[in-house]
Amino acid sequence: MIGSGATAVTLVPALASRASHVTMLQRSPSYIVARPGRDALADRLRALLPEGLAHRVIRGKNVVMGTLYFQLMRRLPGRTSQVLRKRVAAQLPASIPVDPHFVPSYDPWDQRLCLVPDADLFRALRSGKADVVTDRIARFTPSGVALESGRTLAADVIVTATGLRLVAFGGIALSVDGRAVEPGEQRAYKGTMFGGVPNLAWCVGYTNSSWTLRADLASQYVCRLLAHLDRHGFAFCVPDAASASDAGRPRPIVDLQSGYIKRAAPGLPKQGGRRPWTMRQNYLLDLADMRFARVDDGVLRFARAG
């Protein structure tokens, strides 16, 4: 299994349950966090509260705790990285050292954390049916993989879990009045619309929390916007392109250092340096902005047909 991200750490324990042995070959390690597959507090709340209320309480708890953990890791990267490594070390067998296999070269949340439900990856490692090798691939051979260190890994099957290729708008070609719109040149208004492009919204979620949290907010905001158009008889709306150009230096819309993000960054829309052209990774701030702030904020331009 080539890779060390979410796909690899999910597939390794699943394959180890049936294969005689699985090796996770990684060029560089990732931060890995083990969590129970079930939330005991959530189960208790569901037993005590009505379904709708329990859902809101659990959702609120998860949002607040996720936000706190993210802020803590970003503000105290050295200390939190030590804590993460110690937790991993406590679950490894003696045959697998935490360094170099679980000591990343970056700070927590420079890339996404890999979540291991019920510590199944570590159970597979302790069982002896899985192990980890940290090295670079020199070449494939008829019998496996030759590494730059000179070691050779024998393999019956090689699975490449080596990342994604991100494409803006699913590769749809965009144009306005016959002029092509290049996604990589656009600034994202509230992470949802684009300067100078009318009646177009997309959905991009959080990298530090559930993707669907921001997807929900984006959907609700678009519904508010459509209702505003209908109520006032407008045919279209468009974020002011001049405001976008004054929003400061463009930055990647997804602020992670993962390889697949950096490779895709030139072709993805950008964010600016100030609101409403920033892509905040904070649900509580976005909740107030996208559900309750005025739709006609002076940046959006509205017009009737003709």
Side-chain angles (χ1 to χ4, degrees):
M1 173 70 64
I2 302 173
S4 60
T7 303
V9 302
T10 302
L11 288 178
V12 167
L15 293 176
S17 67
R18 303 185 65 178
S20 61
H21 191 269
V22 179
T23 296
M24 185 171 80
L25 172 59
Q26 59 180 8
R27 181 175 56 191
S28 56
S30 302
Y31 283 106
I32 296 179
V33 179
R35 286 183 57 184
R38 294 188 65 87
D39 186 335
L41 176 59
D43 290 342
R44 183 61 177 164
L45 289 173
R46 292 189 189 97
L48 295 175
L49 300 176
E51 181 179 354
L53 178 59
H55 171 76
R56 291 184 178 88
V57 172
I58 295 165
R59 180 186 177 98
K61 183 264 294 184
N62 290 340
V63 168
V64 170
M65 295 304 296
T67 301
L68 289 176
Y69 282 132
F70 175 77
Q71 293 295 330
L72 180 64
M73 291 182 184
R74 297 308 286 167
R75 294 172 187 274
L76 299 172
R79 186 170 301 178
T80 52
S81 63
Q82 291 178 0
V83 172
L84 293 174
R85 290 197 296 267
K86 286 181 179 178
R87 289 186 176 182
V88 169
Q91 302 196 64
L92 291 173
S95 59
I96 301 179
V98 67
D99 191 4
H101 303 307
F102 294 93
V103 180
S105 59
Y106 56 89
D107 289 334
W109 281 113
D110 282 351
Q111 300 182 24
R112 294 197 71 168
L113 270 66
C114 291
L115 179 63
V116 177
D118 292 325
D120 57 1
L121 173 65
F122 301 112
R123 289 203 310 271
L125 296 175
R126 291 195 300 268
S127 74
K129 296 192 67 177
D131 69 346
V132 180
V133 173
T134 303
D135 207 329
R136 289 178 175 268
I137 296 174
R139 66 187 184 280
F140 291 98
T141 70
S143 60
V145 181
L147 306 177
E148 289 186 357
S149 64
R151 180 179 177 184
T152 298
L153 297 179
D156 298 308
V157 176
I158 297 174
V159 180
T160 54
T162 51
L164 310 170
R165 179 173 178 266
L166 300 182
V167 179
F169 312 126
I172 297 172
L174 302 178
S175 65
V176 177
D177 294 333
R179 176 182 57 85
V181 174
E182 295 297 331
E185 299 175 0
Q186 303 305 305
R187 302 279 185 93
Y189 168 82
K190 295 189 175 182
T192 306
M193 301 181 71
F194 306 96
V197 183
N199 287 9
L200 175 70
W202 80 331
C203 177
V204 59
Y206 293 117
T207 58
N208 65 346
S209 188
S210 170
W211 189 268
T212 54
L213 283 176
R214 200 177 199 286
D216 285 349
L217 289 179
S219 301
Q220 292 163 3
Y221 174 76
V222 170
C223 288
R224 292 182 63 211
L225 187 57
L226 292 173
H228 182 84
L229 294 175
D230 289 343
R231 190 162 50 247
H232 296 279
F234 294 126
F236 70 86
C237 66
V238 55
D240 182 37
S243 173
S245 62
D246 292 338
R249 181 177 60 86
R251 298 182 292 125
I253 194 167
V254 180
D255 191 17
L256 291 177
Q257 299 303 310
S258 305
Y260 69 97
I261 296 293
K262 295 171 75 172
R263 289 191 298 270
L268 296 179
K270 307 299 187 291
Q271 61 174 314
R274 58 178 177 269
R275 295 177 58 200
W277 300 99
T278 54
M279 177 71 184
R280 296 180 297 196
Q281 296 293 323
N282 190 308
Y283 175 80
L284 298 176
L285 294 178
D286 284 341
L287 176 67
D289 187 25
M290 299 182 76
R291 287 188 61 179
F292 303 111
R294 292 177 60 92
V295 171
D296 53 342
D297 59 358
V299 177
L300 280 182
R301 305 301 185 209
F302 300 90
R304 293 179 173 83

